[in-house]
C-alpha cells in the first residue's frame, strides 16, 4: 500500500507560490517542481535535497548479440570498472552535484574479483537469454531481482537519502526497455524503438524486428509484472523496478532518468499502484519509448538536452533544478512583505 504525497503540503506550497513577489506563473516549471517537492517531503517549505543517492544497476542483455546495438557486450563490464574508478560520465556529474553514486552488478556477463565484492552482492545471473527467442530469465530470478532492488532502496534510505536516482549500464538495455514499455502500454514495436547507442538504419530495422518478435512471444503475459519481467526483462531493470517501488512505499521520492528508468517505473507502478506521484522526470531522452512511458506516468521532463547517455546522467544533471525550486519557494519574499 502506497500512501500518496501530502495534499496539505501541496496546497500550502501552491498558496505560497501564488503569494511570492513575482508575476503569477513567472517560475514556470520551477514553480511546479517546488510544489511537487513540498508534497513528497510533507512540508510547505522543505529544505532542498541534501542527501541525493544514485544507484547504477548494471547487467548484460542477451539480445545484444543479435544486432541491436552499436557496441559489444564487453563494454558493460568495462563501464562497471569505470564507475568503480570514478571516471564514468555520471561519476563526473555526481561529484559536481554532490550526489552519492554506487554501481551494482545485477546481471553482467562476467565477474569482478579485483573490485569491491559489494558490487556483486546482489548479482542474480550472468546476462539474459535473447528474449525474442526464449524467456530472458526464470520467474524466480525475476522475483529475486525485484526483491534485490527493494533491499537496495532500503539501504540507501537507511543511509539518509532524501532523493533517490536509478541509473543503468548494459549494452542492449534500450531494447529491453522498449519491449517492456510496449508490452505494458500495448504499443507496436515501431512506436517504441530507438537508436540507442547510435545504430544505423539497418540496425534499427533489426532492432524493430527483435522487439516485434518478443512482443508476439510475450503477448499473453502482461497481466503479471513478475511474469512479464521473466519473459522480456532483465535483472537490472527488474531491480530498478523494485527500487522505485520500495522508495515510493517508504515515502522517498525518485528522480527518473531516461528510457530504462521509465520502463522500470512503468513496471513498478504495476507492481504497486500509486508509485507515480512520488516520481519526477529528470530529462527527456531521445528514445521514443520514454516519451510514451512519461505520458502514461503523467510526468513532464525537467530537461530536454538531447541526452542519450543513460547511467542516470540526465537525472543527476537535473538535481540542481530540484534544489533551486525548493530554495525559491522557501527563501523568496512574499509580495505582501515588500509592499
Amino acid at each position: 500500500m502506497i500512501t500518496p504525497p501530502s495534499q496539505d503540503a501541496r496546497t500550502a506550497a501552491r498558496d505560497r507560490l501564488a503569494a511570492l513577489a513575482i508575476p503569477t506563473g513567472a517560475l514556470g516549471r520551477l514553480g511546479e517542481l517546488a510544489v511537487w517537492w513540498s508534497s513528497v517531503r510533507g512540508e510547505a517549505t522543505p529544505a532542498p535535497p541534501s542527501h541525493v543517492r544514485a544507484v547504477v544497476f548494471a547487467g548484460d542483455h542477451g539480445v545484444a548479440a543479435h544486432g541491436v546495438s552499436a557496441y559489444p557486450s564487453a563494454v558493460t563490464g568495462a563501464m562497471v570498472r569505470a564507475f568503480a574508478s570514478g571516471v564514468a560520465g555520471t561519476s563526473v556529474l555526481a561529484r559536481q552535484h554532490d550526489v552519492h553514486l554506487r554501481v551494482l552488478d545485477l546481471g553482467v556477463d562476467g565477474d569482478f574479483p579485483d573490485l569491491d565484492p559489494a558490487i556483486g552482492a546482489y548479482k542474480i545471473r550472468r546476462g539474459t537469454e535473447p528474449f525474442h527467442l526464449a524467456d530472458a530469465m526464470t520467474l524466480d530470478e525475476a522475483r529475486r531481482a525485484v526483491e534485490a532492488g527493494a533491499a537496495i532502496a532500503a539501504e540507501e534510505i537507511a543511509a539518509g537519502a532524501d532523493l533517490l536516482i536509478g541509473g543503468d549500464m548494459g549494452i542492449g538495455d534500450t531494447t529491453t526497455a522498449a519491449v517492456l514499455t510496449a508490452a505494458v502500454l500495448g504499443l507496436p514495436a515501431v512506436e517504441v524503438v530507438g537508436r540507442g547507442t547510435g545504430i544505423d538504419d539497418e540496425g534499427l530495422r533489426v532492432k524493430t524486428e527483435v522487439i516485434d518478435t518478443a512482443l508476439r512471444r510475450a503477448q499473453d503475459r502482461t497481466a503479471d509484472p513478475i511474469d512479464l519481467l521473466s519473459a522480456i526483462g532483465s535483472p537490472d531493470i527488474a531491480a530498478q523496478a523494485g527500487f522505485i517501488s520500495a522508495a515510493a512505499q517508504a515515502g522517498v521520492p525518485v528522480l527518473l532518468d531516461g528510457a530504462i528508468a521509465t520502463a522500470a517505473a512503468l513496471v513498478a507502478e504495476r507492481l504497486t499502484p500509486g508509485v507515480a506521484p512520488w516520481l519526477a522526470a529528470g530529462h527527456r531522452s531521445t528514445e521514443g519509448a520514454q516519451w510514451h512511458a512519461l505520458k502514461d506516468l503523467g510526468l513532464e521532463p525537467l530537461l530536454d538536452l538531447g541526452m542519450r547517455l543513460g547511467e542516470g546522467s540526465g537525472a543527476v544533471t537535473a538535481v540542481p533544478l530540484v534544489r533551486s525550486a525548493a530554495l525559491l519557494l522557501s527563501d523568496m519574499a512574499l509580495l505582501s512583505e515588500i509592499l
Side-chain angles (χ1 to χ4, degrees):
M1 178 66 178
I2 295 181
T3 302
S6 171
Q7 186 58 49
D8 288 344
R10 178 183 294 275
T11 299
R14 284 199 182 282
D15 289 346
R16 180 173 176 82
L17 180 65
L20 293 177
I22 54 172
T24 300
L27 290 180
R29 294 291 312 288
L30 275 179
E32 296 171 11
L33 181 60
V35 171
W36 172 80
W37 181 246
S38 294
S39 72
V40 296
R41 296 301 289 167
E43 305 173 41
T45 54
S50 58
H51 295 91
V52 185
R53 299 182 70 90
V55 178
V56 174
F57 297 86
D60 276 308
H61 300 250
V63 290
H66 293 262
V68 301
S69 177
Y71 293 88
S73 293
V75 172
T76 303
M79 286 305 303
V80 169
R81 293 183 180 280
F83 280 108
S85 300
V87 295
T90 297
S91 304
V92 176
L93 292 168
R95 283 194 298 275
Q96 172 69 24
H97 299 312
D98 192 24
V99 174
H100 181 275
L101 183 64
R102 177 185 183 192
V103 62
L104 293 173
D105 170 14
L106 275 296
V108 178
D109 189 14
D111 295 308
F112 306 95
D114 55 322
L115 300 183
D116 183 349
I119 289 174
Y122 289 101
K123 190 170 187 123
I124 302 299
R125 58 177 287 156
R126 292 175 59 130
T128 59
E129 300 300 322
F131 52 59
H132 62 306
L133 304 176
D135 280 2
M137 55 185 164
T138 68
L139 270 173
D140 180 65
E141 288 168 339
R143 190 174 295 108
R144 287 193 291 116
V146 170
E147 292 170 352
I152 293 162
E155 290 176 357
E156 298 301 310
I157 293 167
D162 53 11
L163 179 64
L164 288 172
I165 293 170
D168 58 272
M169 185 60 242
I171 299 301
D173 59 5
T174 60
T175 306
T176 306
V179 74
L180 279 170
T181 299
V184 170
L185 300 181
L187 297 171
V190 293
E191 290 290 317
V192 297
V193 68
R195 293 187 183 269
T197 51
I199 54 175
D200 59 18
D201 289 346
E202 174 60 16
L204 189 66
R205 183 191 65 77
V206 171
K207 188 173 181 178
T208 304
E209 288 184 358
V210 166
I211 293 171
D212 184 61
T213 301
L215 287 172
R216 284 187 276 109
R217 200 184 65 77
Q219 62 185 342
D220 298 325
R221 300 175 66 179
T222 59
D224 179 357
I226 300 295
D227 189 34
L228 186 64
L229 287 167
S230 170
I232 55 173
S234 62
D236 47 309
I237 295 181
Q240 191 169 171
F243 177 84
I244 294 169
S245 172
Q249 291 179 72
V252 177
V254 178
L255 188 57
L256 296 178
D257 191 45
I260 289 82
T262 51
L266 284 178
V267 175
E269 179 66 33
R270 272 66 184 178
L271 285 167
T272 47
V275 164
W278 290 95
L279 310 177
H283 82 121
R284 183 182 298 278
S285 164
T286 59
E287 295 289 309
Q290 191 223 23
W291 311 342
H292 289 290
L294 290 177
K295 182 177 180 180
D296 183 79
L297 293 165
L299 302 176
E300 281 287 330
L302 300 175
L303 296 171
D304 188 353
L305 302 175
M307 292 178 69
R308 56 180 177 86
L309 175 61
E311 305 178 3
S313 58
V316 173
T317 300
V319 166
L321 291 180
V322 184
R323 291 175 173 148
S324 295
L327 288 170
L328 283 167
L329 188 63
S330 64
D331 293 4
M332 191 187 300
L334 302 180
L335 183 62
S336 62
E337 294 171 341
I338 63 170
L339 289 178

